[in-house]
Amino acid sequence: MQPRQPELPSLWMMTDERQGEALWPALHRLPPGSGIIFRHKTLPGKARRRLFDKVRRIARIRGLILLLAGGDAKARRWGADGAHHRRPHAPRLGTAPAHDLREIRAAERSGAAAIFLSPLHPTRSHPGAPALGRMRFAALARSTRLPVIALGGVDGLRGKAAMAVGAHGWAAIDAWM
C-alpha cells in the first residue's frame, strides 16, 4: 500500500531556534492544511527529537503537514509526512531547497514534489546574502514544472505578490511570529 500523499500546501512555516517560545503560538496561527518544515538543526539529537515530537502532536491535531529538514530515512523513523532536503525521494512527500537554476534542475531530478526557492527578498536568516528579487524569482519559477514555494523575507503581502508571478505558495519564519 502506498503511503498517504498529502496535498501540497501553499502556506508554510519554517521552524528556527530563534523562535524560542514564540514557536507555539506561531503553530496555532497556521491555517489547517498548511505545512511546517521542522529545522532546529543546532539542537542536540535528543532535544531536537523531543521538540519535533511536540510539534508533530500539534500538527496532527491541527491538520498540518510536517516535513523534517533532513534525510528521508530519519523523516520516516520520526513519523514526519516527508522530508525537506537536497535529495528527496518519491513516493513520500519531499521538497528541496534551491537558489538558482542548477539547483532547480537537481531538485527536478531528485523526485521532489516542490521547490523552496530563496531568498526572494533580503532575510534575517541569511543577512547580507544576495536576494533574487521579484523578476529573477519569476523567471526561475517559470523554468520548472514543479510547484515553487517562495522563501526569504516573505510575509503575507509579499507571498501574494510571489504567487502572482508564478509561485504555488510561500514560506516564512518571522511572518508567523
Side-chain angles (χ1 to χ4, degrees), residues 60-121:
R60 295 296 175 261
I61 290 167
R62 302 217 47 253
L64 305 170
I65 302 299
L66 178 61
L67 305 186
L68 178 66
D72 193 58
K74 182 179 272 189
R76 190 174 281 118
R77 281 194 315 275
W78 284 21
D81 294 311
H84 175 74
H85 59 102
R86 297 207 180 274
R87 293 182 193 90
H89 308 253
R92 288 176 56 82
L93 179 60
T95 61
H99 305 89
D100 56 33
L101 187 59
R102 181 184 58 77
E103 291 180 352
I104 287 172
R105 294 299 176 250
E108 290 169 341
R109 289 188 300 275
S110 77
I115 296 170
F116 281 70
L117 182 58
S118 71
L120 174 52
H121 299 287

Side-chain angles (χ1 to χ4, degrees), residues 11 120 134 150 154-167 169-170:
L11 298 177
L120 174 52
R134 188 173 171 176
V154 181
D155 58 18
L157 188 60
R158 287 178 163 179
K160 287 178 186 174
M163 293 172 75
V165 297
W170 59 276

Side-chain angles (χ1 to χ4, degrees), residues 18-93:
R18 67 189 158 106
Q19 288 170 312
E21 289 302 309
L23 171 63
W24 310 113
L27 289 170
H28 289 280
R29 279 189 206 93
L30 287 169
S34 298
I36 304 164
I37 304 285
F38 182 86
R39 298 185 318 170
H40 282 80
K41 291 184 176 184
T42 63
L43 281 180
K46 288 182 181 179
R48 185 175 187 232
R49 176 63 191 264
R50 279 192 304 274
L51 183 59
F52 176 86
D53 288 342
K54 288 180 184 178
V55 170
R56 188 183 63 208
R57 279 192 293 279
I58 292 168
R60 295 296 175 261
I61 290 167
R62 302 217 47 253
L64 305 170
I65 302 299
L66 178 61
L67 305 186
L68 178 66
D72 193 58
K74 182 179 272 189
R76 190 174 281 118
R77 281 194 315 275
W78 284 21
D81 294 311
H84 175 74
H85 59 102
R86 297 207 180 274
R87 293 182 193 90
H89 308 253
R92 288 176 56 82
L93 179 60

Side-chain angles (χ1 to χ4, degrees), residues 8-12 115 137 147-151 154 159-160 162-163 166-171:
L8 184 68
S10 60
L11 298 177
W12 291 84
I115 296 170
F137 177 89
V148 171
I149 308 298
L151 178 61
V154 181
K160 287 178 186 174
M163 293 172 75
H168 171 80
W170 59 276

